[in-house]
Amino acid sequence: MPEISRRRALTAAAALTVAAGAQALAVSASAAPATSAGHEEHTGHTGHDEHTGHQPGSPSAFDEVYKGRRIQGRPTTGGGHHHEHGGGYSVFVDGVELHVMRNADGSWISVVSHYDPVSTPRAAARAAVDELQGAALLPFPAN
């Protein structure tokens, strides 16, 4: 029986580590504790929240006009690398996707306000509108 080389052993160990890490990440993402994020106060906006059909702990959908800009957010299904960071949630400003990411502590950041974490995707959309100061949100190329 041929002996296994050090290179093959290290390659196999690396592959197992990556597979185990990916599985642990998937398990931890599906077992994330439900929070009250997304159940913020619903007064003072012109949109309508959908409270059905979303995952427990997942923010509810929204569609509103904030400071003259239409902001929308909704849970997403399906794959794609850039959707994984958004925790299965998409946000749009005037129809252009605002890339958002959910942090480990449950807060959200966007590509526009990356250093100012907020509690919900709606707050991330509003912060982006504030930061844009009337400028158009340009599409962000996915890798």
Side-chain angles (χ1 to χ4, degrees):
M1 178 174 209
E3 291 193 30
I4 188 166
S5 70
R6 187 180 335 174
R7 178 176 291 186
R8 285 186 183 232
L10 289 174
T11 300
L16 288 172
T17 302
V18 169
Q23 183 179 9
L25 182 62
V27 168
S28 68
S30 66
T35 64
S36 61
H39 297 290
E40 61 188 32
E41 189 63 36
H42 293 257
T43 59
H45 64 80
T46 60
H48 177 74
D49 282 349
E50 297 294 326
H51 290 283
T52 59
H54 65 276
Q55 303 280 336
S58 173
S60 41
F62 64 91
D63 185 350
E64 70 179 43
V65 175
Y66 177 75
K67 294 187 177 181
R69 310 287 292 268
R70 184 174 184 192
I71 58 173
Q72 300 169 293
R74 60 183 172 264
T76 57
T77 58
H81 173 73
H82 63 284
H83 292 291
E84 293 171 12
H85 296 297
Y89 202 87
S90 293
V91 175
F92 300 88
V93 175
D94 295 332
V96 178
E97 186 172 9
L98 171 68
H99 288 262
V100 295
M101 184 175 88
R102 191 167 200 172
N103 294 320
D105 66 357
S107 64
W108 293 80
I109 56 174
S110 76
V111 71
V112 175
S113 59
H114 196 79
Y115 297 106
D116 189 19
V118 294
S119 61
T120 65
R122 178 194 311 260
R126 289 177 175 175
V129 167
D130 292 341
E131 189 70 28
L132 287 168
Q133 299 178 4
L137 176 64
L138 300 177
F140 188 77
N143 292 337

